[in-house]
Amino acid sequence: MSHIVQQTLRKLKEHNVRITPQRQAVLEFMIGTHMHPTADDVYKALAGRFPNMSVATIYNNLRLFTSLGIIEEMAYGDASSHFDFAQTKHYHSICENCGKVVDVFYPELDDVEVIAENLTGFMVTGHRMEVHGICPECQAKLANN
């Protein structure tokens, strides 16, 4: 089991969260994926191992992990939220054609909250940056049409 999984399981135990096999499977899936899945995506990935598990169980676990700061919920105005295991602060590029979400790591933006506080007097509680465009795969498809 990876160090990140063990560390995250410890955090759950510190919050008196019972570690069920389903909960651990959802956590391991979220840590191991590089996509930004919906609850339905997680369900489809785990249904073979846990045939009695419902989408509601997946969703409840994702909500729990979000409330503990283990994962981030990304709502972009479409029908379903996407979820991201966020060990380090990062941003997202979103394809306007297929909806693909790609992580962007840009540490130079880490001080944007301090700058915003200094410029506006706001007590900043967080920020989110999204870059919208067309991914390389969709660009290639559009070029071939």
Side-chain angles (χ1 to χ4, degrees):
M1 189 181 322
S2 81
H3 173 70
I4 296 169
V5 172
Q6 290 175 354
Q7 183 179 21
T8 308
L9 288 173
R10 275 194 301 276
K11 182 174 183 175
L12 290 173
K13 288 176 185 174
E14 288 169 7
H15 285 90
N16 297 315
V17 173
R18 193 166 60 95
I19 309 301
T20 64
Q22 295 89 345
R23 185 165 285 151
Q24 184 166 337
V26 172
L27 178 65
E28 288 175 356
F29 178 80
M30 290 304 302
I31 290 172
T33 188
H34 294 290
M35 44 184 251
H36 300 79
T38 63
D40 195 49
D41 294 331
V42 178
Y43 172 76
K44 288 175 186 172
L46 299 177
R49 285 176 48 199
F50 301 96
N52 295 327
M53 185 165 51
S54 68
V55 176
T57 299
I58 299 291
Y59 193 74
N60 290 336
N61 279 295
L62 293 172
R63 284 278 184 224
L64 172 67
F65 297 158
T66 300
S67 71
L68 296 174
I70 293 169
I71 64 172
E72 176 185 349
E73 182 176 6
M74 304 178 327
Y76 293 118
D78 57 359
S80 54
S81 293
H82 294 257
F83 295 88
D84 187 15
F85 179 78
Q87 191 173 13
T88 58
K89 184 173 235 164
H90 62 277
Y91 305 96
H92 298 104
S93 289
I94 305 163
C95 181
E96 295 173 350
N97 192 49
C98 69
K100 179 180 183 179
V101 180
V102 178
D103 291 341
V104 177
F105 295 92
Y106 194 69
E108 287 78 12
L109 283 178
D110 286 351
D111 61 353
V112 71
E113 292 177 6
V114 173
I115 292 169
E117 284 185 353
N118 290 338
L119 292 174
T120 65
F122 278 45
M123 181 179 73
V124 176
T125 58
H127 74 278
R128 175 173 95 176
M129 184 180 85
E130 303 166 4
V131 177
H132 297 262
I134 308 295
C135 72
E137 292 84 4
C138 288
Q139 290 177 50
K141 288 177 189 173
L142 292 170
N144 291 329
N145 289 336

